[in-house]
Amino acid sequence: MKCTSCHEGTLSPGFIDSLFRAHICSHCGGNWVLIEDFLAWKESNPEYSFAKDIGYAEGEDIDSAKAMLCPVTGSLMSKFRISSNTNHRIDYSASVGGIWLDKGEWQLLKQEGLAASLNVLVTQSWQRNIRAETAKDNFVDMYEAKFGKDVYAKIKELREWLQSQPQKSDLRAYLLADDPYSAER
């Protein structure tokens, strides 16, 4: 098979970290992994734990932003974010159940503690959680920019305290009243 990423190398059978089967590009170092191969290995090695201290350096990977074609079917693959902490995306062919990992992405997955969850990364629930985390992070950034970090930290602490109070509705009314000591509205 020709490489789906660089179109120069050949995908040859091999193993990722000498663990499970993959096809590795002879030119760019990318990996084509079938989920079934990963799951079969994972099932026979339930106690295995991936090391996180692998010395991954930002920038050593070649995260492909372009649309990629499945090396088996030639159909367009979908891009899936791996976490809300990074913009890296892996490419997935639903028709074959294969994942394309650009050079360095496997190391990134190990560093992020996600290597054991390779099959989960392409699920709707995983992607939905990433979108929710990203939205929360965006709100935090917006509030910090609007209020300043110190003020935001204080108001956040106050809000958390207020949420834990049994009379929170009355406390909010007191705080929002122009004059809490007046009978007029």
Side-chain angles (χ1 to χ4, degrees):
M1 285 186 287
K2 275 296 221 190
C3 178
T4 190
S5 182
C6 70
H7 306 289
E8 293 181 34
T10 304
L11 297 178
S12 302
F15 290 86
I16 291 184
D17 286 348
S18 302
L19 300 174
F20 56 90
R21 290 188 311 194
H23 284 79
I24 301 153
C25 177
S26 60
H27 184 261
C28 70
N31 299 284
W32 173 246
V33 180
L34 293 177
I35 295 289
E36 65 187 60
D37 289 339
F38 174 75
L39 288 174
W41 171 83
K42 190 174 169 183
E43 191 175 291
S44 24
N45 297 280
E47 301 300 315
Y48 189 86
S49 122
F50 293 97
K52 285 181 142 186
D53 58 341
I54 45 93
Y56 170 77
E58 189 69 40
E60 78 177 35
D61 58 304
I62 316 167
D63 187 26
S64 174
K66 66 182 179 186
M68 296 186 54
L69 301 177
C70 173
V72 177
T73 65
S75 61
L76 196 60
M77 291 194 287
S78 302
K79 292 195 174 285
F80 288 90
R81 284 188 61 189
I82 61 171
S83 77
S84 61
N85 301 330
T86 179
N87 287 326
H88 279 82
R89 298 174 188 271
I90 58 174
D91 299 278
Y92 177 64
S93 173
S95 60
V96 176
I99 293 178
W100 177 261
L101 298 173
D102 292 310
K103 180 181 180 183
E105 284 181 336
W106 176 247
Q107 288 75 16
L108 178 64
L109 290 172
K110 290 194 295 187
Q111 179 182 312
E112 295 283 328
L114 299 172
S117 303
L118 184 60
N119 56 308
V120 178
L121 300 178
V122 296
T123 63
Q124 287 182 351
S125 61
W126 184 268
Q127 294 301 308
R128 189 173 28 257
N129 288 340
I130 289 175
R131 286 190 297 277
E133 289 173 20
T134 302
K136 182 180 177 187
D137 292 344
N138 290 340
F139 276 112
V140 168
D141 292 344
M142 180 186 73
Y143 290 138
E144 284 181 349
K146 186 172 188 155
F147 304 139
K149 285 189 179 202
D150 292 339
V151 171
Y152 175 63
K154 286 180 185 177
I155 195 71
K156 184 177 171 190
E157 182 181 342
L158 175 63
R159 185 180 193 290
E160 289 168 1
W161 174 83
L162 186 60
Q163 291 298 102
S164 70
Q165 300 304 306
Q167 298 173 326
K168 62 185 164 204
S169 295
D170 292 334
L171 292 170
R172 278 195 298 256
Y174 174 84
L175 285 173
L176 294 174
D178 287 339
D179 182 358
Y181 305 104
S182 169
E184 295 179 26
R185 285 192 168 208

